[in-house]
Amino acid sequence: MRHIIMSTCIMEKMEKTSLPIRLLLSFGITDEVFAMSMTDKKINKLTPAFFAGLSLFSYLSWNVGSALGILFSSILPSIVSKSLGVSLYAMFIGLLVPNTKKSIRLLCVVIMTMVVNWVLNQFLSSSLSILISTLGCALIGMCFISKEDLQ
C-alpha cells in the first residue's frame, strides 16, 4: 500500500513519460528515494533521468552498505552493532524534521499520525496500525495541507 501511494505521488510530479519507462522507474521507488524526490524544493518536475540516477545511487549505496556490513559485522563490538538498529529511524527523522520546521500544518499531521498509530497499536498489530494511521492521517492531511505548504 505504501508503494502505491508513493508511486502515485512521484508519477504525478514526473514529466510526461511513456508507460514502459514509468514501469522501469517504479523499480527504484523506496522510502528514501521518495523522500528525496518529494522534498527537494528546487525540483518542480522530476525528469526520468534524474529519478533514475537517484534510484541507481540509492540502490548501489544499499548494496555497498550491505556488503560492508557483512564484512565488518564480525569486527565491530556488539554494542555498536546493536545500536545501529536505531540509525534507520534517525534517517527518517532527519528527512522529516526540515519539512516540519517549514510547515506547522505538516507538523500537526505528523504528530496526529504518531498519536493515532500509538492508540491503534494498543489494539492492532504493529504493521496494521502503521498502515491505517499513515493512510488515514494522510487523507486528513490532504484536506488542509496545500502544495504551497510543502514548498
Side-chain angles (χ1 to χ4, degrees), residues 77-150:
S78 67
I79 192 154
V80 173
S81 295
K82 290 177 184 174
S83 65
L84 287 176
V86 134
S87 62
L88 185 62
Y89 301 112
M91 180 191 63
F92 283 122
I93 291 169
L95 290 170
L96 185 64
V97 167
N99 290 309
T100 58
K101 287 170 45 176
K102 296 175 188 170
S103 171
I104 190 72
R105 292 177 182 173
L106 181 60
L107 179 61
C108 290
V109 171
V110 169
I111 291 170
M112 178 176 58
T113 305
M114 289 171 23
V115 170
V116 169
N117 182 56
W118 179 81
V119 170
L120 290 176
N121 205 24
Q122 307 306 308
F123 307 103
L124 302 171
S125 69
S126 176
S127 58
L128 190 57
S129 65
I130 288 173
L131 183 63
I132 293 171
S133 63
T134 302
L135 290 175
C137 293
L139 286 172
I140 293 168
M142 285 174 44
C143 296
F144 67 95
I145 295 180
S146 65
K147 286 185 178 182
E148 290 77 32
D149 286 327
L150 300 175

Side-chain angles (χ1 to χ4, degrees), residues 8-132:
T8 301
C9 293
I10 286 176
M11 292 307 159
E12 180 182 303
K13 192 173 180 179
M14 190 169 293
E15 291 178 349
K16 294 293 181 199
T17 308
S18 67
L19 180 60
I21 298 294
R22 287 184 299 177
L23 289 172
L24 182 63
L25 292 174
S26 68
F27 175 74
I29 296 174
T30 62
D31 296 332
E32 297 81 11
V33 169
F34 173 77
M36 294 298 295
S37 299
M38 299 306 290
T39 59
D40 191 343
K41 305 306 177 218
K42 294 173 267 182
I43 301 172
N44 290 330
K45 283 284 186 188
L46 286 173
T47 64
F50 175 82
F51 187 79
L54 184 60
S55 299
L56 180 63
F57 183 77
S58 175
Y59 182 77
L60 292 174
S61 298
W62 187 274
N63 283 289
V64 168
S66 296
L68 290 173
I70 291 167
L71 291 172
F72 292 111
S73 64
S74 60
I75 299 171
L76 291 174
S78 67
I79 192 154
V80 173
S81 295
K82 290 177 184 174
S83 65
L84 287 176
V86 134
S87 62
L88 185 62
Y89 301 112
M91 180 191 63
F92 283 122
I93 291 169
L95 290 170
L96 185 64
V97 167
N99 290 309
T100 58
K101 287 170 45 176
K102 296 175 188 170
S103 171
I104 190 72
R105 292 177 182 173
L106 181 60
L107 179 61
C108 290
V109 171
V110 169
I111 291 170
M112 178 176 58
T113 305
M114 289 171 23
V115 170
V116 169
N117 182 56
W118 179 81
V119 170
L120 290 176
N121 205 24
Q122 307 306 308
F123 307 103
L124 302 171
S125 69
S126 176
S127 58
L128 190 57
S129 65
I130 288 173
L131 183 63
I132 293 171

